Amino acid sequence: ALGNPGQRMLSGVARSPGQGRTDVVNFLENRQAGQGRDVSGILADALGAPDTSMQLDAALRGQRKTAADINYGAARGGAGAVDVGPAISAADEHLAPGLVPFDMPGGSQLRDDSVRGIVTRARSLLTNGKEQLSNFDAAFAAKKEIDSMIDSANPTQQGVLIPMRNALDEQLASASPQYSKARDVFKQQSQAIDAIPQGKIAAQRGRMEDTIPAYESKPQDQQAAFRTGYADPLIEQSQSSAVGVNKVRPLMADGPQAELGAMSQHNGPYQPGAPDILSQRLGRENTMFETRAAALGGSKTADNLADNAALNIDPSLIGHLLSGNFSGAAMSGLRSVGNGLTGNTPAVREHLAQLLLQRGGSADLGATLGRVSNDLA
């Protein structure tokens, strides 16, 4: 609250012997040790991300499975026959005629390449060459198997399996009005799950001109997942940084400030138009680090002389503090240099340390000032 003048006064106490020095060092070191926890809490609160990305991912996948069991169960209940012909045709585009294995001298054949082999396997789920599936449950099971194949396939294999899967998916929707609804819900929930790693990547690299529009274009459920992913690496960094490192400093750059400002405007006190609480809280954390650095960090001889001189306390300092004029108090403390007052004793420094580290109300402030006045007398 006293700004740089108050920091320099505190530095004088911290560099002089006595209980005041011990109190200042212990207070500032303990507060700095909790900065990682404080910054993590600020980010989690502002971004609406109480869970880790792994926790949210598991929760969303569980919700998706529960909804899928219900919705796809209803889709099977009123389903008709499924025409798997379009899916088979999509497979045949990659199987004939150019990709059919040809005989080698001696009766051997060239082995199927990876694309042909996986497409042949997917096609065999729908037909044996003479008959085709028409039962909805069997066709739906084949579609899920092809989905699994796509998940584990390489990009080239995926490129030929996805059109086949999509063709089968459309025919399933045509055979059951409820299937289309179930599919849309599953897709929406999947997109929310996919937004988690997107947010994590955005926090690690990229420009704010890309990140902010990408976030704002998403629906609310995906924005929430994106924020959780975005918060994860920032919180991890603040938790893993060594004690003594300013954990809020990486968040003070233009990019993170703009991105955090856009993402924090989602609920409660962080809604658009409200005071920029996030910047205020991060700014206070940064000021607390600077106070510790000014009080306990290395200093030049001239600084030490000025700090010790600043401990000569002007009576007007007490009046400014009692009236809440902290800026005036700081200036009075500095102007007291050379005006003849000498109160630089261990007892005064101890009380001054309590005064500068004051967090209480006016009653506590008055009691501390009273002790300082008695010691000066």
Side-chain angles (χ1 to χ4, degrees):
L2 294 175
N4 182 261
Q7 292 175 355
R8 302 312 305 168
M9 293 173 69
L10 193 64
S11 175
V13 177
R15 291 183 173 89
S16 301
Q19 184 61 38
R21 175 183 178 85
T22 301
D23 292 343
V24 169
V25 171
N26 289 341
F27 177 87
L28 294 179
E29 292 290 13
N30 289 336
R31 186 171 68 177
Q32 179 61 29
Q35 190 192 42
R37 180 177 60 253
D38 294 339
V39 172
S40 298
I42 291 171
L43 292 173
D45 182 41
L47 296 176
D51 298 326
T52 68
S53 60
M54 291 182 61
Q55 292 170 337
L56 181 61
D57 183 270
L60 291 179
R61 289 182 185 277
Q63 295 172 9
R64 185 179 67 177
K65 183 180 184 304
T66 300
D69 291 342
I70 296 173
N71 295 335
Y72 283 118
R76 289 194 294 268
V82 180
D83 179 12
V84 299
I88 295 174
S89 298
D92 288 343
E93 292 181 4
H94 299 277
L95 295 178
L99 294 179
V100 176
F102 59 90
D103 291 336
M104 295 289 289
S108 63
Q109 277 191 336
L110 287 176
R111 188 176 65 180
D112 289 353
D113 61 42
S114 61
V115 174
R116 177 182 172 82
I118 198 169
V119 174
T120 299
R121 178 187 167 199
R123 187 181 188 278
S124 69
L125 298 173
L126 305 176
T127 180
N128 58 9
K130 298 180 181 178
E131 298 175 329
Q132 298 179 359
L133 289 181
S134 60
N135 178 269
F136 184 90
D137 288 345
F140 181 58
K143 186 261 181 185
K144 291 196 294 183
E145 179 65 22
I146 296 174
D147 281 334
S148 298
M149 294 168 64
I150 291 173
D151 290 339
S152 59
N154 62 48
T156 302
Q157 294 168 338
Q158 290 175 344
V160 297
L161 287 176
I162 290 176
M164 182 180 177
R165 188 274 312 276
N166 291 346
L168 178 58
D169 195 51
E170 290 300 323
Q171 293 304 311
L172 287 166
S174 298
S176 171
Q178 293 298 320
Y179 179 86
S180 180
K181 175 184 176 182
R183 180 184 60 182
D184 292 342
V185 172
F186 188 90
K187 180 179 179 181
Q188 179 183 2
Q189 293 175 322
S190 297
Q191 289 174 337
I193 295 172
D194 293 340
I196 297 175
Q198 293 172 7
K200 183 175 294 188
I201 292 173
Q204 295 170 326
R205 61 178 182 269
R207 296 177 54 174
M208 62 183 180
E209 293 87 353
D210 297 325
T211 300
I212 295 176
Y215 166 77
E216 293 179 339
S217 66
K218 297 181 181 298
Q220 290 186 356
D221 60 330
Q222 294 180 38
Q223 285 185 348
F226 188 98
R227 291 195 303 269
T228 297
Y230 188 91
D232 238 27
L234 301 184
I235 291 176
E236 180 183 358
Q237 183 182 43
S238 69
Q239 292 177 342
S240 60
S241 298
V243 175
V245 174
N246 187 3
K247 299 171 178 62
V248 79
R249 182 178 180 180
L251 305 176
M252 304 303 290
D254 291 344
Q257 283 283 294
E259 293 170 356
L260 288 169
M263 294 182 202
S264 66
Q265 299 181 1
H266 58 93
N267 61 17
Y270 297 98
Q271 288 180 347
D276 192 355
I277 297 177
L278 175 59
S279 292
Q280 293 174 6
R281 295 178 69 183
L282 293 177
R284 284 198 298 269
E285 289 294 330
N286 192 56
T287 299
M288 286 188 281
F289 176 86
E290 292 175 348
T291 298
R292 173 184 173 275
L296 306 183
S299 65
K300 300 177 182 179
T301 302
D303 289 336
N304 285 334
L305 294 174
D307 292 337
N308 289 330
L311 290 173
N312 295 322
I313 300 176
D314 189 333
S316 65
L317 170 64
I318 296 176
H320 283 307
L321 288 171
L322 286 175
S323 64
N325 184 7
F326 297 121
S327 178
M331 295 306 299
S332 294
L334 294 179
R335 283 196 300 267
S336 67
V337 177
N339 66 1
L341 287 176
T342 59
N344 192 358
T345 68
V348 169
R349 289 195 297 270
E350 179 182 354
H351 294 322
L352 182 58
Q354 297 174 16
L355 178 64
L356 292 171
L357 301 177
Q358 184 66 252
R359 283 181 169 181
S362 58
D364 293 334
L365 181 60
T368 302
L369 288 170
R371 291 194 298 271
V372 174
S373 298
N374 291 334
D375 284 322
L376 285 173

